[in-house]
Amino acid sequence: MHYRELFLTFLALIVKSTSEEICISRHNINVIEGEPFYLKHCLSSLAHGNETNTIRWSKSHGSHVLAKLNPRSSPRITVHNYILEFWPVELNDQGSYRFQMGNETKEWTLNVIKRDEHSCFSEKLVKSKKVAVKKALLINCKNSYYEKWINKTSLYKNCEKIDENYKSLSMVKNAEFTDQGYYSCIFSLIRNGKLYNVTQTFNITICEDLNNKNPVLLGPKTNYVAVELGEDVELNCSALANKNDVIYWSFWKENESYTNVHEEKEKTTWISEGKQHVSIILRIKKVDEKNLNFLFNCTVTNEGSTDIQSFILLRKDSTDISNPVFMRGMIISVLISVAVVCLVVVCVIYRVDLVLFYRHLMGRDETLTDGKTYDAFVSYLKDCHPENGEEYAFAVETLPKVLEKHFGYKLCIFERDIVPGGAVIDEIHSLIEKSRRLIIVLSKSYIGNEVRYELESELHEALVERKIKIILIEFTPVSDFTFLPQSLELLKSHRVLRWKAEETLSYNSRFWKNLLYLMPAKTIKPGQGESEILPVLSAP
Ligand SMILES: *[C@@H]1O[C@H](CO)[C@@H](O)[C@H](O)[C@H]1NC(C)=O
Ligand SMILES: *[C@@H]1O[C@H](CO)[C@@H](O)[C@H](O)[C@H]1NC(C)=O
Ligand SMILES: *[C@@H]1O[C@H](CO)[C@@H](O)[C@H](O)[C@H]1NC(C)=O
Ligand SMILES: *[C@@H]1O[C@H](CO)[C@@H](O)[C@H](O)[C@H]1NC(C)=O
Ligand SMILES: *[C@@H]1O[C@H](CO)[C@@H](O)[C@H](O)[C@H]1NC(C)=O
Ligand SMILES: *[C@@H]1O[C@H](CO)[C@@H](O)[C@H](O)[C@H]1NC(C)=O
Ligand SMILES: *[C@@H]1O[C@H](CO)[C@@H](O)[C@H](O)[C@H]1NC(C)=O
Ligand SMILES: *[C@@H]1O[C@H](CO)[C@@H](O)[C@H](O)[C@H]1NC(C)=O
């Protein structure tokens, strides 16, 4: 055989195979406006190769020819022998087309669909395909007829581009339910410098595999379960299985039986995403050493296949940081500690306010039952030197004004209430005994004054025997004193208040609050008259 003959035979074979692939035998054809389209007659083997026959293309209605089509009839429509091409199809191309060659004819009815501006494809032009889940999903974007003009091929899923390539492209994957959708292959053609699109859309439906499928257990092949000894454990084995598949637990050791392990008779079945699921529970009561590090196997099986999953119990490491329960516990306890610390700090800072508020709330009164007459004995400079005018005014005016008139306390003020003369020291002693607090207004001159000696024994008694509580009000910082009664140095610092006239005008000021805190709790009767504060020596 000559090479030429061989070549021609080969060519003929190719032409034959391709022409058979892409000729159009359907009668009714939907086509979208604006895209290239062609009609090609499928030659019968008889007519094939008969070159002497003349070919006629026409747009027709039944047997009635409306217009003959020839290469000159329209720039959009081209005719080459068995093929009629539209570049592109337009709405007015709708109608019947007839091919005639000898006594052989073929007719197609073309239905041109208007383009939907909001979609990349037309719903009337989709090819539906069903793919079983887990089976191969193949989308092949290949157009052999227009291949020589293709400049770019893009794949869209639900009109969103997912891939792009030059001549052709394809997508293969294991079908999942989420793969369902419309896949459009858009071929961009360039012909004579003009750009055309050809769209081919597949409506892919993912369905359940109707044939019996191999059952599969869900989750990893080996599962580690952290347990504590003595705890009850429930192992849940779930499978994707057919109705009649068998699922069971196996947990027998040779020559060993577990009395604390039971397989639940009831199986749970449910359908999710169209698939049948089944789960079976293994209960282990009071886990013991023998249950640890042993394979509890779950098996699902049918005639075709078997799947096994193992569960291994491990002793829980209680300090395991990765353990979420432990972590949560840690976080909660840290938070609680922080909250407690904050609360304590707040309580310390606002101790005075809290105590005063509590006293107010409870209406507490410590003064009712102790049989004492005065709430406080006020001691300060006895001799009224002109340079001590400020202390005098404080002790005789400010203090009573606030404590007596405003807060309803009863004070015994040496200077005011004790008539000069008489057995002063005895008097002081008995008055202090009748008082609940001893308020000392401390100033420089106080120290040098003889009152100091009178009070020294009282102070000593008060501090050492804790008979009376002392409140020290400083006019001058104690550190300035060169000589301080020794007993005063024993005084706790919170019992020392510093008087700063300019800051302490309001009843709500810190100074008065602190003073009230040190004073005995008493139901406050504001605005109590002076009449109750009788001169001490006139009392019986
Ligand atoms: C070719 O067609 C002509 C006219 O229809 C016919 O006479 C002839 O027999 C055909 N030849 C073949 C090989 O079929
Ligand atoms: C068409 O012509 C062929 C021969 O070319 C013949 O065998 C066939 O019977 C004819 N068919 C009709 C419908 O005339
Ligand atoms: C696509 O397939 C689904 C499922 O088979 C069907 O319900 C839907 O109507 C189809 N859409 C079109 C446009 O054919
Ligand atoms: C495809 O088209 C782009 C722009 O239209 C052009 O730059 C490129 O050369 C074309 N590619 C081919 C292979 O025709
Ligand atoms: C062809 O499709 C592309 C998207 O792939 C689009 O941007 C372009 O406008 C379309 N051209 C025509 C002529 O339809
Ligand atoms: C077992 O697990 C499956 C999901 O994996 C769940 O649907 C089922 O309710 C579980 N059974 C029990 C008893 O917890
Ligand atoms: C559990 O399965 C493993 C492998 O999957 C196997 O080696 C082991 O013997 C099985 N144990 C039981 C109790 O069936
Ligand atoms: C199990 O028991 C049988 C007889 O009761 C004995 O022959 C066999 O060795 C034992 N197997 C093991 C692993 O202890």
Side-chain angles (χ1 to χ4, degrees):
M1 215 189 286
H2 290 290
Y3 281 116
R4 198 169 157 270
E5 279 169 344
L6 221 147
F7 177 70
L8 281 177
T9 318
F10 179 59
L11 204 69
L13 272 172
I14 289 182
V15 168
K16 191 176 178 209
S17 65
T18 54
S19 67
E20 270 171 9
E21 254 171 42
I22 56 185
C23 69
I24 295 175
S25 54
R26 278 169 298 146
H27 180 68
N28 282 308
I29 296 167
N30 285 330
V31 57
I32 191 146
E33 65 159 326
E35 294 198 352
F37 182 71
Y38 69 92
L39 290 170
K40 181 170 183 177
H41 177 54
C42 300
L43 289 169
S44 66
S45 50
L46 264 175
H48 188 70
N50 195 335
E51 303 291 307
T52 58
N53 278 334
T54 53
I55 292 169
R56 252 183 289 161
W57 281 93
S58 57
K59 197 171 175 184
S60 66
H61 185 68
S63 59
H64 184 65
V65 174
L66 297 175
K68 280 200 178 151
L69 297 172
N70 60 54
R72 289 170 305 281
S73 56
S74 161
R76 272 195 307 115
I77 299 170
T78 64
V79 178
H80 329 268
N81 296 333
Y82 318 114
I83 303 169
L84 183 70
E85 285 178 347
F86 298 85
W87 293 96
V89 161
E90 285 184 357
L91 280 177
N92 60 15
D93 291 328
Q94 176 129 344
S96 291
Y97 289 82
R98 180 194 283 256
F99 168 86
Q100 191 171 12
M101 183 174 72
N103 65 359
E104 196 170 333
T105 60
K106 166 76 185 171
E107 200 173 291
W108 301 269
T109 303
L110 215 61
N111 177 33
V112 183
I113 295 161
K114 213 168 154 20
R115 180 169 287 279
D116 177 0
E117 294 303 330
H118 306 293
S119 179
C120 64
F121 65 92
S122 164
E123 294 208 345
K124 287 184 184 149
L125 284 175
V126 301
K127 271 188 203 162
S128 287
K129 257 168 118 177
K130 276 194 174 171
V131 179
V133 69
K134 297 225 160 130
K135 290 279 152 61
L137 166 64
L138 169 67
I139 309 281
N140 198 2
C141 292
K142 187 169 164 58
N143 191 317
S144 41
Y145 184 79
Y146 290 112
E147 191 162 16
K148 63 179 170 190
W149 292 294
I150 291 177
N151 172 291
K152 191 178 73 181
T153 305
S154 316
L155 178 60
Y156 290 72
K157 182 185 178 188
N158 299 327
C159 290
E160 276 182 32
K161 190 185 273 188
I162 56 174
D163 200 3
E164 185 176 287
N165 201 355
Y166 166 52
K167 278 287 179 202
S168 66
L169 64 82
S170 60
M171 182 191 95
V172 192
K173 72 188 292 284
N174 277 342
E176 289 164 30
F177 283 96
T178 51
D179 290 330
Q180 186 151 310
Y182 294 99
Y183 291 81
S184 305
C185 299
I186 298 186
F187 305 95
S188 297
L189 319 183
I190 294 180
R191 179 177 172 273
N192 297 339
K194 263 188 91 178
L195 178 74
Y196 304 89
N197 285 344
V198 173
T199 309
Q200 193 179 3
T201 302
F202 303 97
N203 178 12
I204 304 288
T205 308
I206 309 294
C207 56
E208 199 193 339
D209 196 347
L210 297 175
N211 303 320
N212 246 16
K213 55 195 176 278
N214 294 340
V216 251
L217 291 163
L218 305 176
K221 284 278 161 268
T222 310
N223 300 273
Y224 296 95
V225 183
V227 297
E228 266 162 22
L229 291 183
E231 147 184 63
D232 290 351
V233 175
E234 193 181 282
L235 301 178
N236 182 355
C237 171
S238 304
L240 205 63
N242 309 292
K243 251 201 181 87
N244 297 321
D245 292 352
V246 183
I247 183 166
Y248 59 90
W249 283 97
S250 44
F251 49 90
W252 292 279
K253 237 186 210 173
E254 213 181 329
N255 295 359
E256 181 115 50
S257 70
Y258 288 136
T259 50
N260 63 338
V261 183
H262 299 281
E263 178 181 317
E264 193 121 295
K265 285 204 179 65
E266 200 103 325
K267 287 170 195 164
T268 317
T269 59
W270 70 99
I271 288 172
S272 163
E273 289 185 325
K275 289 175 286 183
Q276 175 94 25
H277 289 68
V278 59
S279 80
I280 182 170
I281 303 285
L282 187 74
R283 282 187 206 290
I284 305 167
K285 288 232 164 81
K286 296 203 174 65
V287 170
D288 60 26
E289 291 276 357
K290 284 190 291 181
N291 302 131
L292 299 178
N293 302 312
F294 169 75
L295 292 176
F296 292 95
N297 289 351
C298 175
T299 307
V300 64
T301 183
N302 64 12
E303 313 82 47
S305 86
T306 296
D307 196 12
I308 296 185
Q309 197 174 35
S310 300
F311 288 75
I312 299 171
L313 303 189
L314 297 175
R315 195 194 299 247
K316 195 183 281 175
D317 185 357
S318 57
T319 58
D320 186 0
I321 296 296
S322 65
N323 180 343
V325 176
F326 177 73
M327 276 308 280
R328 219 175 300 139
M330 280 290 284
I331 291 168
I332 288 171
S333 52
V334 165
L335 286 181
I336 289 175
S337 321
V338 168
V340 166
V341 167
C342 288
L343 200 65
V344 168
V345 167
V346 165
C347 286
V348 167
I349 292 174
Y350 293 102
R351 179 189 71 241
V352 169
D353 300 69
L354 287 172
V355 168
L356 292 180
F357 177 72
Y358 174 75
R359 284 185 191 170
H360 178 72
L361 200 69
M362 307 306 287
R364 230 180 114 220
D365 199 332
E366 309 174 338
T367 64
L368 295 176
T369 52
D370 60 2
K372 296 199 175 183
T373 317
Y374 302 102
D375 293 310
F377 181 91
V378 181
S379 160
Y380 75 108
L381 266 186
K382 204 158 54 167
D383 296 324
C384 178
H385 298 299
E387 68 265 30
N388 304 122
E390 208 183 327
E391 286 101 279
Y392 180 84
F394 175 77
V396 178
E397 288 164 19
T398 315
L399 213 52
K401 196 174 107 201
V402 176
L403 287 185
E404 293 187 330
K405 290 228 178 107
H406 192 77
F407 292 112
Y409 284 108
K410 196 168 172 188
L411 304 180
C412 176
I413 302 174
F414 192 82
E415 196 71 5
R416 182 188 69 182
D417 300 335
I418 297 174
V419 180
V424 172
I425 291 179
D426 287 350
E427 209 66 62
I428 289 173
H429 188 85
S430 79
L431 283 173
I432 288 179
E433 284 215 321
K434 284 190 211 160
S435 301
R436 299 183 180 95
R437 297 286 186 273
L438 174 59
I439 299 179
I440 299 171
V441 180
L442 190 67
S443 75
K444 258 196 175 138
S445 42
Y446 177 94
I447 305 305
N449 199 278
E450 55 178 305
V451 178
R452 174 167 72 81
Y453 304 108
E454 290 165 18
L455 287 174
E456 189 75 4
S457 61
E458 295 303 325
L459 273 175
H460 186 79
E461 199 178 322
L463 289 164
V464 174
E465 299 175 19
R466 297 185 194 283
K467 268 192 179 165
I468 185 167
K469 287 175 180 156
I470 294 180
I471 302 166
L472 193 66
I473 300 176
E474 283 179 31
F475 261 72
T476 322
V478 173
S479 55
D480 287 5
F481 295 109
T482 47
F483 175 74
L484 201 62
Q486 229 180 356
S487 321
L488 282 185
E489 285 170 1
L490 296 170
L491 208 56
K492 284 187 187 126
S493 64
H494 79 269
R495 303 206 145 262
V496 179
L497 303 178
R498 202 151 291 148
W499 169 254
K500 292 192 198 100
E502 63 284 1
E503 288 173 21
T504 41
L505 295 172
S506 153
Y507 293 132
N508 271 331
S509 68
R510 188 101 326 251
F511 176 84
W512 293 118
K513 276 189 181 166
N514 288 342
L515 184 56
L516 282 186
Y517 168 70
L518 297 174
M519 289 294 286
K522 188 166 188 173
T523 3
I524 293 173
K525 289 164 245 147
Q528 246 175 344
E530 274 174 333
S531 55
E532 283 186 28
I533 307 148
L534 300 168
V536 174
L537 291 188
S538 67

Short mmCIF file of all heavy atoms in Angstrom, two decimals, residues 234 236 238 270 279 281, ligand 6:
data_model
loop_
_atom_site.label_atom_id
_atom_site.label_comp_id
_atom_site.label_asym_id
_atom_site.label_seq_id
_atom_site.Cartn_x
_atom_site.Cartn_y
_atom_site.Cartn_z
N GLU A 234 -19.64 5.56 78.36
CA GLU A 234 -20.55 5.18 77.28
C GLU A 234 -19.80 5.38 75.97
O GLU A 234 -19.34 6.48 75.70
CB GLU A 234 -21.75 6.13 77.36
CG GLU A 234 -22.92 5.72 76.55
CD GLU A 234 -24.03 6.75 76.69
OE1 GLU A 234 -24.73 6.75 77.72
OE2 GLU A 234 -24.17 7.57 75.78
N ASN A 236 -19.96 5.39 71.94
CA ASN A 236 -20.98 5.54 70.91
C ASN A 236 -20.33 5.28 69.56
O ASN A 236 -19.43 5.97 69.15
CB ASN A 236 -21.54 6.97 71.00
CG ASN A 236 -22.63 7.23 70.00
OD1 ASN A 236 -22.95 6.39 69.17
ND2 ASN A 236 -23.21 8.43 70.09
N SER A 238 -20.97 5.01 65.57
CA SER A 238 -21.96 5.39 64.56
C SER A 238 -21.46 4.99 63.19
O SER A 238 -20.26 5.05 62.92
CB SER A 238 -22.20 6.90 64.56
OG SER A 238 -22.58 7.32 65.83
N TRP A 270 -31.10 6.91 62.12
CA TRP A 270 -31.65 8.17 61.64
C TRP A 270 -31.16 8.41 60.22
O TRP A 270 -30.23 7.72 59.75
CB TRP A 270 -31.28 9.33 62.56
CG TRP A 270 -29.85 9.75 62.55
CD1 TRP A 270 -29.32 10.79 61.85
CD2 TRP A 270 -28.76 9.16 63.26
NE1 TRP A 270 -27.98 10.89 62.08
CE2 TRP A 270 -27.61 9.90 62.95
CE3 TRP A 270 -28.65 8.08 64.12
CZ2 TRP A 270 -26.36 9.59 63.47
CZ3 TRP A 270 -27.40 7.78 64.63
CH2 TRP A 270 -26.28 8.52 64.31
N SER A 279 -26.42 3.94 65.10
CA SER A 279 -25.42 4.01 66.15
C SER A 279 -25.76 3.02 67.25
O SER A 279 -26.92 2.67 67.45
CB SER A 279 -25.28 5.43 66.69
OG SER A 279 -26.29 5.72 67.61
N ILE A 281 -24.53 1.69 71.29
CA ILE A 281 -23.83 2.16 72.49
C ILE A 281 -23.26 0.98 73.28
O ILE A 281 -23.93 -0.04 73.41
CB ILE A 281 -24.81 2.94 73.40
CG1 ILE A 281 -25.44 4.11 72.64
CG2 ILE A 281 -24.15 3.41 74.68
CD1 ILE A 281 -24.56 5.28 72.42
C1 LIG B 6 -24.24 8.68 69.06
O1 LIG B 6 -23.64 9.56 68.11
C2 LIG B 6 -24.51 10.03 67.10
C3 LIG B 6 -23.76 10.98 66.20
O2 LIG B 6 -22.48 10.54 65.96
C4 LIG B 6 -25.70 10.75 67.71
O3 LIG B 6 -26.60 11.14 66.71
C5 LIG B 6 -26.40 9.84 68.69
O4 LIG B 6 -27.44 10.55 69.32
C6 LIG B 6 -25.41 9.37 69.73
N1 LIG B 6 -26.10 8.46 70.62
C7 LIG B 6 -26.11 8.68 71.95
C8 LIG B 6 -26.89 7.73 72.76
O5 LIG B 6 -25.51 9.61 72.44
#
